[in-house]
Amino acid sequence: MSEKEIDVTTLGEILIDFTFAGKNSDGKKLFEENPGGAPANCAVAISRLGGKSAFVGMTGFDSFGEDLKSTLQEQGVDVSGMRKTQAQHTTLAFVSLDSKGERNFSFCRNPGADTQLSPSDLDENLLLKSRILHIGSLSLTDEPAKSATLKAIEIAKKSGAYISYDPNYRAALWGSRSDAIPLMKSILPFSDMVKVSDEELALLYGKEISAEAGAKEILSCGAKLVLVTLGSKGVYYATKTQSLESSGTLGVPDVKVVDTTGAGDSFTGGLLYRLTRRENPFSYTKAELEKDIAFANAVASLCVTKRGAIPALPCLSDVEKFISEHNM
């Protein structure tokens, strides 16, 4: 095996999403237990497609933590970097859906086991074996997870790995917007790929900013590839590498949206899977990159047609069939 035998290691929050699943005969809401957390979702998305992924994060000593670890193992994710803490319960999130399938979150994370990952918990060998380290910004909300995230980036960068970053904003988990914005931006100079939603882009750079202008700002920090997800309008991309400087927008096919939970994570996982099919993930032509992004769009399109994040993630044959049927 080569030194870099893991395609992508993801680091950050892992939690139970209690997803709204209808009402009982008395009209009370029912919630379905689904494993979640953006970096964990991303790791599973990659593994489901056939890539080699690992997850680094922390749960509590409870049944929810056991469920999460076993779910990732069953999906083929390397969990050797997972840790447990007695200090906090596994983090929980209650996800309500509106009529359009959009989510509202209520967190049981004060602070929650996922925030207790410390630098000393990191498996350095696992990071050294990884071609890409993918992180989100929610691991920056509390210590010691913030320090662990920065240490992991340092180890990965020194080993020649690339950094993928998803600036993820949940109002309930940050002290304030003024706390969140500088911390979320602080990771951009280390990042080779950044996937950001149009909402998070507006948070970082102001409501009036366009996808084009926002992507340009992020590229100026040193990123090679920026993806701005635009919901049902598709994805805007901008890339600046030694061999290619290009941008464009790719639409997505119409599907019946059931639940948008995990849509962005499945897109990121799909794209990282495709990028790691080549020796240098960031060496591509415009046509190759657009094919990779169309693939990631197909992964996300399939994900939103089912409830939950991890349970909704498609396998490679499902994605290939979808691409064929929709002439993507």
Side-chain angles (χ1 to χ4, degrees), residues 18 50 86 121 143-144 214 275 299:
F18 281 100
Q86 296 275 17
D121 291 316
E143 288 287 9
L275 292 175
V299 176

Side-chain angles (χ1 to χ4, degrees), residues 104 121 128 138 152 223 247 253 256 267 293 300:
N104 295 302
D121 291 316
L128 295 175
L138 294 186
S247 62
K256 185 180 179 184
F267 172 87
I293 295 169

